Amino acid sequence: MIELKGGKTAPLLLDDLNNYDPRRPTVALFNHLVNLPRQHENGGVPSIPWYRNQCKHKWALKDSQCNLPLIIGRPDPKVVSIVAAFCEHCRCHLDLSIDFRGGGRDSCPSEASPLHHFTYQPEISRPRYQPENGAKTDNLSEWEDLTWFQCSSIDCSAKIKIQIRSPRLRPEWVELLTDKDLIKSRSEKAIADDPVRFEGIAVPAPCDVLSNLRTYILNALKYPGRRNISANNKKWLLCLGDPCSELLEHIGFRREDDSWLVPQPDTSELPPILNSLNILLDDVENELLALLLQRPADERRAIKVQYILNPAARSLSKALGTAEYRQNPSSRTATSQGLEHPSYPSLGAKLDFHDDLIKFSYERQLVVDPDNVPYYLESLQTIADGRKSEDLQTLVAIEASSGKVSAQDVRDAYKLLDLDVASAYLDEDVIIGTFQSRVADAPRQEAELRRALQIIGQDRSSEKIQFMASKTVTNYEQALSWLGATTDMDDEFIVAMYKVKEEDNHAEEATARQAVSLIAQHRRSAALKQWLDTGVLGEVEMDVSQAYNRLQIDDRTISDDFVLSAFTLFHHESPSQVDDLRSALRAIAKDRKSQTLLNFLDSGMATSEYPLGEWPVGLANIGNTCYLNSLLQFYFTMKPLRELVLNFDEHKMALTAENLVKKVVGSRKISRQEVQRAQSFVYRLQKLFESMITSPRAHVAPELELARLTLVTQPLEAALRRRSTTTGNRPSLGEINGKPVMGPPPPSIPEAAIHGTNLIEKPAEPQMNGVYGTVEMENSSEETLLGNDPAEDGVDRDMLGPNPEESQQQQQQILEDKENMPPFKGPSERPRTPDFSLKPLGESSPSRTNEQAPMTEANHDFSNSSSPKKAEQAVIAPPPSRPPPFPPRPHTDDQKQAMVEEVQIGAQQDVTEVISNVLFQLECAIKADSFDSSGEQIDLVKQLFFGKQRSYTLNLQGVLRTKEQFFSNLIVDVASGPKDIYEALDGAFDEQEVEVEGSLRPQYTTITRLPPVLKVMVQRVQYDQKKASAFKSVNHLGLKETIYMDRYMDSEDDDLIQRRKESWDWKRQLRVLEERRADLTKTELDLEMPDVLTAAKEFLDQLSGDDAFEVPDGLRHNIEEAAAASRDELASIDARIKDLTANISSQFVDKRELPYRLQSVFIHVGSATFGHYWIYIRDFVNNLWRKYNDESVSAVTDLSPIFDQDPSDRPPTPYFLVYVRENLKDRLVDPVCRNVPEDVLPQPGPENSDTLMDDVILDDDMAMAGNEDGGQGAMAATGNWLKADTKGQRVAW
C-alpha cells in the first residue's frame, strides 16, 4: 500500500468535513478528513472507503459561540476566526478556527495560490480513530475529534483547527425526552400521586417536553437571578420530574429540598462565549431545537412555534476561502460516474475545478509529497484523458519529457520484466537478476528493458538498480552488481567473478578492476588490495556484511541474543561449516565490540550484563530442552502458580482412600501412582523455583529428572520401560529426517489434513474424555518395576531419579551434550533387564536378624533434611509391620543413558501434550478446592488456566443442541495465509458446517467462562498431500498488545448475536469472491484471465493477416469483449472484497468490556522437524519485555520481532501466546522474583556459570506424605488474587 502525504485544497476539505463522521469506526483504516484515495501497487482506480450509516452533515450556526470572518475583504491577520456549528441530523458539534497569525506575507487566495492547500499535521492532531491503525482513542460517551491542518503555501500562514465533539445529550437522555411511552409513564405516575390536582390535564407530547426544557434553559441564559422551580410544579412534574434528574444535574440544575435551582451562567458574557457553563447550555439548547425539528409536523404545529436554523455553509466557505473559485463549465453536466471518480481527490481537487486549478492542485501535491510523483502524475493523466483537455494533456507530456514517470509507467515496467510489483520478496537483487536474464533471452529488447529498469530504479529510489540501468560503476553496490556478486561473497569469490568478466569481454577489464578496487576500499580488504598490486590474493578475513549475510541477518540492530540464536541454528543444520560460522560470528563481534559474543566464542557461554539480584535467571539447556526452558520460565512468572509450588506442602493431597476415590481430573479417575508421580514432579519444580529465586548465578540448570517428568507422560513412560525390558534395542529418536530435534515440534498435524479432509479453523473436539485427553492406562502402569505393592509403598524410588552421590557428575556429563551439539544417541545394544520376581520375606527369614535399627537423633541429622517435618519426628519408630523397601538401586551408565533417551523422546512430544502434562500433574498433586456437578476437581490450576466453551449445533430435526466443556487453550490456524489475532480467533468461534448423522449442519462456539490466563496455540505444522510430508506454515500472525474477548462470549444480547450473524454472512460472501478471484487470476499460463484473453486476441490479430489461417468472423471481437468483461469483474470483486473486509474488521470495534493483555509469546525458528525455541515475557510493573533464550535473559528494546512480519524465508514465528485479564495482570504476573543472599557471591570461572540442580532421592515424608486435612483447597493459601472485577464473565462452576 502506497503511503500518501499529499494535501487537500480548501473546497475538497470542506466537502470531506461534511461527510466526516467520527461516531463511526474507521473503515479499512481510512479517515475521510485526512486521507487521500488509496492506490494499490497492482494499479486500478484508487478507492475511497465509506462508513456504514455515516451522517451527511447539515451544519447550523451557534451564533453566540462564533467569531465569523468578514463577509467582504481579506481576513484580519490579527484575529482568529471561529465558526461554531452543530449538525441538524446527528447533533455533533463543530468548532472550526482559522488562524493567520503566523506572519505570512500574502494569505490565500492570491494570484500565486488561488486556493488554500492544506496538509495534515499528525503531530498535534488527536483524531478519535487513529488513521494508521483504526484504534479508538477513547471509550467514553463524551468524545472529541481534533484535527489540525496547515496551508502549504510558503507565503500563507493559515492554520486550521477542526474540532468535532459528541452531542451533549446522550442517547438515553434523548429517549427520556422523546419516547412517548416513557413520558406517559412518568406523567401518569405524577397524576396518580395527586389526581385532584392534575384533573383535566393531558399527558404532554415529546414536543412539549423538548420545548419546555428549552424554555427553562433560555430563561437561565437571558434572565439572571431567575427564581427556583418548585419540584411540585405541574408542568415540571409532567414533563421532567425525578426520572430526568441525571440529565438535569448534568446541564447545571441542582435539587435542594423541594426546589430545583436553575443554572447560573454568566449572562454578561459577549460572543464568542468562553464560559464552560454558557457553552454547555447553548449546546443543549441548540440540540433541543434540532430534536424539535425532527418531530412530526403535526406534533410541532400543536405548540405553535416556528423554528428556523441558521445554515453554516456560507460562513464555513468564507472562512476557508472557497466562496468563489474558477469552475469548469462542463462539470455541471458531469455524470454520476464522473462525480465519484477518485482521481480528483487524489490531487486534493474537485470535479468542478477549472483546468488551471487542477494544475495548481497537482503542483502543490508534488511539493508536499515528492515521493509519490508517479501516483499524482497518473491521477493527472486520468483527469486529462477524461476531460479531453489539451492543456492538461500538454502538462502530462511536459512532465513525461522531464523524466517523471506515472504509476502506470511503473506498472508497465514491472510487467515488461514479468515481475509482481506487490510481491513481498521483490528486492533489488531479484529485479536486477530478472533484468539480466531477460536481456540474455531477448538482446534486441535491451534498450526497452533497460528503460523499464531505469523506471523501476527511479520509483524505488534505488541507486543500485539505476546504476545497472546506466552501465556505470561508481560505488560499492554498483561494483557488486556489475560483477554479479553479493555482499555475502568472500574476497576469493570476488576475484573469481573478476576473471569470469575479464574472460567474457577483454574490453571490460578496466571496469572490472575498478569494481574490485571499490570493493576492496569498502571492505578495507588487505587481501584484495594485495591482489590488485601483485596478482596474489592475501589472507581472507570475512567482511562484516558477509558475516551478517552468512547468518541471514538483515537487521544489524538486533540483540546479541538473536545473533547467537542464528549461529546456533545454522550450527545445528550444518555442523561441518562450524569454522565458517565462527568466522562470521567473530566478524560481527568485532564490529559490535560485543564482549558477550567474544566470550561465547572463547568459552561457549554468554554472560549476563544485568544485576543478578534484580534480574530473572536463565535456564541452562541440558539437551534439546529449549522449549522446556521457555515453558518453565512462563510458569515461574505466574505468581499464584509459583506460590502454590513454593508452598506445596500446604496444598498437597493426602494419599488417603477417601481422597483417591474422589480424585477426578480430566473426567477420569486418578490412580495412586499418578498422584505419587505428580507430587514428585511438583517437589522437583519447587526446588528449581527456589534456585531461580536465590541463585547468585546468571542461570541455573533444571534437573534431568524434572525434564523427564515434564516431557514424558506417564503412559509414554510405562510404554518405554516395558519396551526396555522386552527388547535389546533401545529407541533413539535424536534425529528426524537427518535433522536434529531441539525441543518438541509445534502442534501436530490434524489427522484430517493427512487424509485430505478440509481443515476447520476452530479448536478440534478435545482428544479426551475430559480436560486433558484420553489417557490409555495399561495394567502394567499400576505396578512398580521392583514388584512392591504401590498401595503399601509411599514412594516409587525409581521414579525419583538417580543417586545423589552420582547426580553431579552425571548431570555435568549431560550438560556437555547441549542443544548446540548433535542429539544424544545411545548404543544400539543394551543389556536386557533380568526376568525375576521378588517375594516377601517369611516370618522366619534370616533377614529378620538384620532389621534396621529404630531411627533416633543420634543416627540421623535433621539439619540437612529436605523434609518439612521437624526434630520432634525423631522418636522411636514402632516395629515394622512389613519388610523394608528395597534400597535405591545405583544408577548404572545404562540406566542414566535410558533416562537421557527418555528426555530426548519426550522432547519430541507434541507441544500441546507437554503443556497438558504439566497442568495435569499439578492438578493430580494438589487437593481439590471443590468439585463440579460431574465430580471434576476444581482447584487453583483449573481456576487459573481453564475456561469453558459451549458449542451450538443445529441437528437434522432443527433442534439447537448445546455442549459445554472445559478448555485450557484456544487453537488457531494460519494455514490459509497471514492473519491478525482476531481473524485467527474468529476461525475458532465462527459458524461452520460439521457432519452430524451423515449430513452437514451449522455449528458455532461461544465462551461461557473466560480464564484469567488465556492461552492460544497456533497450529503451524501442516501436511502437504502432494509431497506426503509435513511442513511448517510461516504465515504471519499479527499480534495485538490488547485484545477484547466480548465478541466471543456466550450472550443473549440481540445486538451482539445480530452482529455475529452479519459477520458470518460477510465472511461467506468473502470466501465466494476469493474463490472466483482465484479462478480469474490463477491460470496455467501464470497470467490473469484478462491478460490471457488479450494475448489470445493479439495472436489472432497476427493470424488474420496470414492467408493460410482463417479466423472466424466475430471471434476476435468476442474475445476482446470477454477480456474487458473479466477485467471489469475483477475490479468489481476487488472493490467488494475491500468493502467486506472493512466491514468485518470494524464490526465489533466498540465491544471492549473484556480486555486481555499480551503477556508471553513463545517463538519457534526452524522447520516442522527441527528448530529452536525461546520466549518473550512482559513485565507489566516495569513496562518491559524480556527475551528468555535458555541461559540468556535480556531486555527487549525493539518489539518488531514480536509484532511485525519478518520478510526472511524462514522467520521466527509465534506458536503459543498467553494473554492475561487486564484487571488481574498485576496480581497474576510477577516476572522478577529474586532473593539472593548478600553474602553469596558468584565465583569466577566457567565451572561456576550454572547452578546445577542435583538429582537427589527425596525423603519419604516430604515426597509422599499427605496433608491430613484431606480436602481443603489450595485457593485459600494463595491469596485473594481472583477476587476482582469479573464483569462479563461467568465464574460459577
Side-chain angles (χ1 to χ4, degrees):
M1 186 74 70
I2 297 173
E3 182 182 2
L4 301 172
K5 298 179 181 178
K8 296 183 179 184
T9 59
L12 178 64
L13 182 63
L14 181 56
D15 274 7
D16 288 345
L17 176 59
N18 293 332
N19 291 318
Y20 177 55
D21 190 349
R23 299 176 307 151
R24 306 298 179 200
T26 301
V27 175
L29 309 185
F30 187 88
N31 184 314
H32 275 265
L33 197 60
V34 171
N35 297 130
L36 298 177
R38 289 174 171 173
Q39 172 72 67
H40 295 270
E41 286 87 345
N42 58 2
V45 176
S47 60
I48 306 177
W50 290 94
Y51 301 137
R52 290 173 294 137
N53 305 321
Q54 69 180 21
C55 180
K56 305 292 185 181
H57 297 301
K58 184 178 180 182
W59 302 112
L61 287 176
K62 297 185 292 186
D63 297 305
S64 60
Q65 299 181 40
C66 291
N67 185 25
L68 298 176
L70 300 173
I71 300 298
I72 302 175
R74 300 184 67 77
D76 188 341
K78 299 180 181 179
V79 176
V80 177
S81 298
I82 302 173
V83 179
F86 71 100
C87 177
E88 298 179 27
H89 303 314
C90 68
R91 298 180 289 108
C92 287
H93 296 268
L94 167 69
D95 294 305
L96 184 148
S97 61
I98 183 163
D99 185 357
F100 292 93
R101 295 178 298 178
R105 293 175 294 177
D106 190 11
S107 61
C108 304
S110 63
E111 184 176 351
S113 300
L115 289 171
H116 287 295
H117 180 265
F118 291 111
T119 56
Y120 175 54
Q121 306 295 299
E123 299 83 6
I124 54 177
S125 298
R126 293 195 310 276
R128 189 182 186 209
Y129 289 92
Q130 297 293 347
E132 64 273 10
N133 57 23
K136 188 161 64 173
T137 57
D138 65 79
N139 289 304
L140 306 174
S141 56
E142 297 181 3
W143 50 263
E144 73 169 15
D145 183 284
L146 178 63
T147 315
W148 285 86
F149 293 90
Q150 174 75 53
C151 183
S152 67
S153 171
I154 193 172
D155 295 326
C156 181
S157 61
K159 182 180 291 186
I160 284 185
K161 180 178 77 170
I162 297 175
Q163 184 180 28
I164 303 178
R165 294 181 284 107
S166 60
R168 297 286 196 170
L169 297 176
R170 300 174 188 169
E172 60 269 26
W173 295 342
V174 172
E175 188 176 16
L176 278 173
L177 300 175
T178 59
D179 187 281
K180 292 183 178 180
D181 292 336
L182 293 177
I183 296 172
K184 181 179 179 182
S185 175
R186 63 176 179 264
S187 298
E188 288 179 345
K189 182 180 184 304
I191 294 172
D193 290 343
D194 194 350
V196 175
R197 184 167 176 246
F198 288 97
E199 184 177 359
I201 299 179
V203 173
C207 269
D208 296 315
V209 176
L210 295 168
S211 179
N212 287 335
L213 179 57
R214 181 169 177 264
T215 299
Y216 290 132
I217 292 174
L218 286 174
N219 288 340
L221 287 169
K222 293 181 180 178
Y223 308 110
R226 288 284 298 172
R227 62 185 179 84
N228 300 332
I229 302 170
S230 171
N232 292 320
N233 181 286
K234 293 181 182 180
K235 185 186 296 185
W236 181 270
L237 279 175
L238 292 176
C239 292
L240 301 169
D242 290 341
C244 297
S245 297
E246 184 183 12
L247 161 62
L248 295 169
E249 291 171 355
H250 177 76
I251 60 178
F253 289 84
R254 287 190 300 110
R255 179 70 180 264
E256 190 173 281
D257 297 328
D258 293 331
S259 299
W260 280 91
L261 306 183
V262 299
Q264 299 295 322
D266 182 1
T267 56
S268 64
E269 188 178 23
L270 298 176
I273 58 176
L274 300 176
N275 181 278
S276 59
L277 179 58
N278 288 25
I279 293 175
L280 171 62
L281 292 173
D282 188 57
D283 286 349
V284 173
E285 186 269 325
N286 281 294
E287 287 188 39
L288 292 171
L289 186 55
L291 291 171
L292 275 166
L293 293 176
Q294 294 172 13
R295 302 303 304 168
D298 57 342
E299 191 178 311
R300 282 188 280 118
R301 282 194 295 270
I303 61 175
K304 300 178 182 179
V305 178
Q306 297 296 323
Y307 300 109
I308 300 176
L309 295 175
N310 186 6
R314 185 179 178 185
S315 298
L316 288 171
S317 178
K318 178 61 181 176
L320 295 177
T322 67
E324 297 179 1
Y325 60 85
R326 294 185 66 188
Q327 296 186 357
N328 179 25
S330 62
S331 65
R332 299 174 184 175
T333 60
T335 64
S336 60
Q337 182 178 1
L339 286 170
E340 297 174 355
H341 200 289
S343 291
Y344 288 95
S346 296
L347 295 182
K350 288 184 61 180
L351 175 70
D352 62 356
F353 274 18
H354 189 274
D355 285 355
D356 289 343
L357 289 181
I358 297 292
K359 293 180 185 178
F360 165 75
S361 303
Y362 167 74
E363 291 166 355
R364 294 313 305 164
Q365 298 293 59
L366 298 196
V367 170
V368 300
D369 190 13
D371 292 338
N372 288 306
V373 171
Y375 170 76
Y376 300 118
L377 182 55
E378 182 175 25
S379 298
L380 177 65
Q381 187 172 0
T382 302
I383 295 172
D385 294 343
R387 289 189 171 192
K388 296 181 174 55
S389 166
E390 292 185 5
D391 287 348
L392 295 181
Q393 288 173 341
T394 300
L395 177 59
V396 170
I398 293 173
E399 294 292 86
S401 66
S402 68
K404 293 186 178 70
V405 295
S406 70
Q408 183 61 52
D409 295 330
V410 175
R411 292 194 295 274
D412 290 343
Y414 279 101
K415 186 175 180 180
L416 183 62
L417 291 176
D418 197 21
L419 295 170
D420 180 7
V421 65
S423 172
Y425 302 102
L426 200 61
D427 58 17
E428 292 174 325
D429 293 332
V430 172
I431 293 171
I432 291 173
T434 303
F435 163 77
Q436 292 171 333
S437 175
R438 293 297 303 276
V439 169
D441 293 340
R444 293 185 180 181
Q445 290 184 285
E446 180 176 358
E448 185 180 4
L449 292 168
R450 200 170 289 280
R451 170 59 182 160
L453 187 67
Q454 182 70 39
I455 290 173
I456 293 173
Q458 184 176 337
D459 177 63
R460 298 172 74 101
S461 301
S462 169
E463 293 184 3
K464 183 176 180 179
I465 294 177
Q466 292 186 69
F467 147 71
M468 178 55 66
S470 62
K471 287 186 172 181
T472 59
V473 180
T474 59
N475 57 38
Y476 175 65
E477 289 76 15
Q478 293 174 359
L480 288 174
S481 180
W482 192 87
L483 288 174
T486 58
T487 55
D488 61 334
M489 293 178 178
D490 60 21
D491 292 347
E492 287 181 285
F493 199 92
I494 296 298
V495 173
M497 294 303 294
Y498 163 85
K499 292 178 179 178
V500 170
K501 282 285 188 180
E502 194 268 339
E503 290 174 1
D504 285 346
N505 188 350
H506 291 291
E508 293 182 337
E509 180 182 1
T511 306
R513 288 188 66 83
Q514 171 68 9
V516 174
S517 177
L518 288 169
I519 294 171
Q521 292 174 19
H522 179 84
R523 293 184 175 182
R524 299 178 182 176
S525 170
L528 283 180
K529 290 178 181 178
Q530 180 178 329
W531 178 84
L532 288 168
D533 294 337
T534 66
V536 178
L537 187 65
E539 183 179 353
V540 177
E541 187 173 305
M542 188 174 290
D543 175 70
V544 67
S545 297
Q546 293 174 268
Y548 279 109
N549 280 289
R550 178 65 184 85
L551 297 181
Q552 294 187 15
I553 297 174
D554 297 327
D555 181 7
R556 298 192 184 188
T557 64
I558 62 173
S559 66
D560 289 347
D561 273 346
F562 195 92
V563 175
L564 287 175
S565 297
F567 170 84
T568 301
L569 181 62
F570 283 108
H571 181 199
H572 279 287
E573 286 185 346
S574 307
S576 61
Q577 299 181 20
V578 62
D579 291 338
D580 188 45
L581 293 169
R582 286 180 63 85
S583 295
L585 187 62
R586 190 170 297 278
I588 294 173
K590 289 182 177 180
D591 180 67
R592 291 180 168 218
K593 299 179 181 178
S594 168
Q595 195 60 44
T596 299
L597 297 182
L598 291 172
N599 287 343
F600 179 85
L601 286 164
D602 294 338
S603 65
M605 191 69 66
T607 57
S608 174
E609 56 185 294
Y610 303 99
L612 294 179
E614 304 170 9
W615 199 254
V617 299
L619 295 177
N621 192 311
I622 60 174
N624 296 349
T625 57
C626 52
Y627 170 73
L628 171 67
N629 289 344
S630 298
L631 189 63
L632 293 174
Q633 291 283 17
F634 159 64
Y635 283 129
F636 183 80
T637 66
M638 291 289 102
K639 185 177 180 180
L641 182 67
R642 185 177 68 221
E643 291 178 350
L644 181 148
V645 171
L646 293 174
N647 301 293
F648 176 51
D649 289 322
E650 301 174 19
H651 315 308
K652 178 178 171 184
M653 191 193 87
L655 288 173
T656 65
E658 179 185 359
N659 287 344
L660 288 171
V661 167
K662 294 191 296 183
K663 190 74 171 180
V664 176
V665 177
S667 298
R668 70 174 181 83
K669 293 285 188 180
I670 303 301
S671 70
R672 174 185 291 269
Q673 185 173 353
E674 287 177 292
V675 176
Q676 291 173 335
R677 184 185 197 273
Q679 292 180 347
S680 174
F681 161 75
V682 178
Y683 273 121
R684 295 180 187 279
L685 186 62
Q686 180 188 73
K687 187 173 182 182
L688 174 66
F689 282 5
E690 289 173 346
S691 182
M692 293 171 71
I693 294 171
T694 61
S695 173
R697 309 290 189 255
H699 46 267
V700 300
E703 290 178 300
L704 182 62
E705 176 67 0
L706 174 61
R708 188 185 72 82
L709 291 173
T710 305
L711 298 173
V712 181
T713 62
Q714 186 163 5
L716 177 60
E717 174 187 67
L720 291 174
R721 293 191 177 184
R722 284 195 303 276
R723 181 160 48 184
S724 71
T725 64
T726 59
T727 177
N729 294 326
R730 187 75 173 183
S732 176
L733 300 180
E735 296 182 355
I736 297 179
N737 297 333
K739 298 290 187 179
V741 178
M742 296 181 287
S748 57
I749 313 162
E751 185 177 354
I754 300 176
H755 296 291
T757 307
N758 289 334
L759 290 175
I760 297 175
E761 291 188 352
K762 70 176 295 173
E765 286 293 327
Q767 303 170 2
M768 53 185 166
N769 296 327
V771 179
Y772 295 102
T774 301
V775 182
E776 298 179 359
M777 300 299 295
E778 303 193 22
N779 293 335
S780 58
S781 67
E782 292 291 332
E783 303 172 358
T784 67
L785 295 180
L786 291 173
N788 55 322
D789 183 358
E792 299 295 331
D793 189 5
V795 187
D796 179 356
R797 300 301 194 278
D798 186 57
M799 185 195 310
L800 287 177
N803 228 332
E805 289 80 11
E806 300 178 2
S807 60
Q808 181 79 16
Q809 178 181 356
Q810 292 172 356
Q811 285 205 22
Q812 186 60 44
Q813 181 179 350
I814 295 166
L815 283 171
E816 294 170 359
D817 185 23
K818 289 168 62 69
E819 177 188 8
N820 294 334
M821 299 296 291
F824 183 88
K825 293 184 179 181
S828 58
E829 295 294 331
R830 180 176 189 266
R832 297 183 59 180
T833 303
D835 185 11
F836 65 91
S837 59
L838 300 172
K839 298 180 180 180
L841 295 173
E843 290 296 326
S844 60
S845 169
S847 296
R848 292 288 181 182
T849 59
N850 296 322
E851 239 175 32
Q852 292 174 313
M855 181 172 288
T856 65
E857 291 189 25
N859 62 12
H860 182 73
D861 182 7
F862 281 92
S863 62
N864 295 323
S865 174
S866 59
S867 171
K869 297 186 177 182
K870 302 301 179 183
E872 60 266 20
Q873 293 175 309
V875 296
I876 301 299
S881 60
R882 59 183 176 88
F886 287 97
R889 295 174 294 178
H891 284 264
T892 65
D893 290 340
D894 285 342
Q895 291 170 320
K896 182 236 176 209
Q897 173 185 314
M899 184 184 299
V900 173
E901 289 183 352
E902 285 188 18
V903 172
Q904 293 287 340
I905 294 171
Q908 299 166 41
Q909 299 305 298
D910 187 294
V911 166
T912 54
E913 293 179 6
V914 177
I915 295 172
S916 295
N917 186 41
V918 172
L919 297 181
F920 175 75
Q921 292 192 92
L922 285 168
E923 285 206 85
C924 287
I926 63 177
K927 52 196 172 186
D929 185 55
S930 63
F931 299 91
D932 71 4
S933 58
S934 68
E936 177 76 21
Q937 171 174 311
I938 305 301
D939 49 47
L940 174 64
V941 174
K942 195 78 101 257
Q943 293 275 13
L944 196 61
F945 296 107
F946 287 80
K948 280 191 173 182
Q949 60 186 17
R950 178 178 294 150
S951 62
Y952 292 84
T953 308
L954 189 66
N955 67 11
L956 294 173
Q957 291 73 37
V959 177
L960 191 64
R961 296 191 176 277
T962 64
K963 179 181 179 182
E964 189 173 44
Q965 61 187 16
F966 287 104
F967 71 90
S968 62
N969 45 259
L970 302 175
I971 301 177
V972 301
D973 195 349
V974 291
S976 59
K979 299 178 181 179
D980 68 19
I981 185 64
Y982 283 124
E983 289 179 275
L985 286 171
D986 287 351
F989 296 97
D990 282 352
E991 184 181 69
Q992 54 201 287
E993 291 186 332
V994 298
E995 186 172 344
V996 178
E997 300 175 1
S999 176
L1000 293 178
R1001 305 300 297 164
Q1003 181 187 83
Y1004 69 93
T1005 304
T1006 62
I1007 297 176
T1008 56
R1009 191 256 181 194
L1010 275 168
V1013 181
L1014 181 66
K1015 308 193 301 298
V1016 181
M1017 177 69 68
V1018 185
Q1019 178 69 51
R1020 289 202 174 272
V1021 177
Q1022 308 295 332
Y1023 189 77
D1024 188 328
Q1025 297 183 28
K1026 292 183 179 179
K1027 298 180 180 179
S1029 63
F1031 70 94
K1032 176 188 173 184
S1033 169
V1034 295
N1035 288 325
H1036 178 61
L1037 178 62
L1039 305 182
K1040 297 181 182 295
E1041 287 210 39
T1042 304
I1043 59 173
Y1044 300 88
M1045 298 299 292
D1046 309 60
R1047 65 187 70 181
Y1048 306 117
M1049 297 303 297
D1050 198 67
S1051 173
E1052 297 179 356
D1053 181 5
D1054 292 338
D1055 176 62
L1056 179 59
I1057 294 172
Q1058 181 60 31
R1059 292 199 200 191
R1060 283 178 183 158
K1061 291 179 179 178
E1062 287 180 352
S1063 179
W1064 298 340
D1065 182 59
W1066 290 333
K1067 289 174 184 177
R1068 282 190 287 269
Q1069 295 180 44
L1070 193 59
R1071 286 193 290 270
V1072 172
L1073 290 171
E1074 288 173 340
E1075 289 174 3
R1076 177 56 181 162
R1077 193 183 193 287
D1079 292 339
L1080 293 174
T1081 56
K1082 296 178 181 178
T1083 65
E1084 293 182 1
L1085 299 177
D1086 202 23
L1087 294 172
E1088 293 186 353
M1089 184 58 68
D1091 296 330
V1092 172
L1093 294 171
T1094 300
K1097 191 262 182 185
E1098 293 173 352
F1099 179 69
L1100 292 177
D1101 288 342
Q1102 296 175 5
L1103 292 181
S1104 63
D1106 191 337
D1107 295 336
F1109 296 93
E1110 182 178 353
V1111 179
D1113 294 339
L1115 178 59
R1116 287 181 293 161
H1117 176 71
N1118 291 340
I1119 292 178
E1120 186 175 19
E1121 285 189 339
S1126 61
R1127 190 171 286 109
D1128 291 342
E1129 184 182 2
L1130 263 179
S1132 175
I1133 288 173
D1134 288 342
R1136 182 57 179 158
I1137 286 176
K1138 188 181 301 180
D1139 290 342
L1140 288 172
T1141 303
N1143 289 344
I1144 292 168
S1145 65
S1146 61
Q1147 182 72 340
F1148 301 99
V1149 72
D1150 57 333
K1151 297 291 184 182
R1152 298 192 169 199
E1153 294 295 321
L1154 295 174
Y1156 273 72
R1157 296 286 294 279
L1158 184 63
Q1159 187 263 340
S1160 293
V1161 181
F1162 289 68
I1163 298 291
H1164 174 265
V1165 60
S1167 71
T1169 56
F1170 72 98
H1172 181 59
Y1173 297 76
W1174 64 87
I1175 184 174
Y1176 295 102
I1177 296 179
R1178 177 75 183 271
D1179 184 338
F1180 294 106
V1181 173
N1182 296 305
N1183 192 25
L1184 174 69
W1185 281 91
R1186 294 184 182 89
K1187 179 181 180 181
Y1188 297 71
N1189 188 1
D1190 286 340
E1191 294 92 341
S1192 171
V1193 181
S1194 57
V1196 178
T1197 56
D1198 178 13
L1199 299 183
S1200 59
I1202 304 176
F1203 295 99
D1204 297 345
Q1205 184 169 3
D1206 188 325
S1208 61
D1209 294 334
R1210 191 170 51 194
T1213 52
Y1215 72 93
F1216 191 71
L1217 318 171
V1218 180
Y1219 282 88
V1220 296
R1221 182 71 187 269
E1222 166 72 38
N1223 62 335
L1224 296 175
K1225 66 181 189 300
D1226 294 333
R1227 309 182 197 185
L1228 292 171
V1229 181
D1230 181 26
V1232 182
C1233 181
R1234 299 282 277 136
N1235 185 17
V1236 183
E1238 295 182 1
D1239 58 340
V1240 180
L1241 297 175
Q1243 300 300 319
E1247 68 278 3
N1248 289 320
S1249 59
D1250 289 354
T1251 297
L1252 294 176
M1253 301 289 294
D1254 299 338
D1255 275 50
V1256 298
I1257 301 297
L1258 299 176
D1259 182 275
D1260 285 2
D1261 291 332
M1262 171 180 163
M1264 298 300 161
N1267 193 327
E1268 296 305 322
D1269 65 2
Q1272 298 304 315
M1275 291 291 295
T1278 54
N1280 297 323
W1281 62 270
L1282 195 57
K1283 295 180 181 178
D1285 177 26
T1286 54
K1287 183 177 181 181
Q1289 297 191 54
R1290 301 182 185 180
V1291 297
W1293 294 96

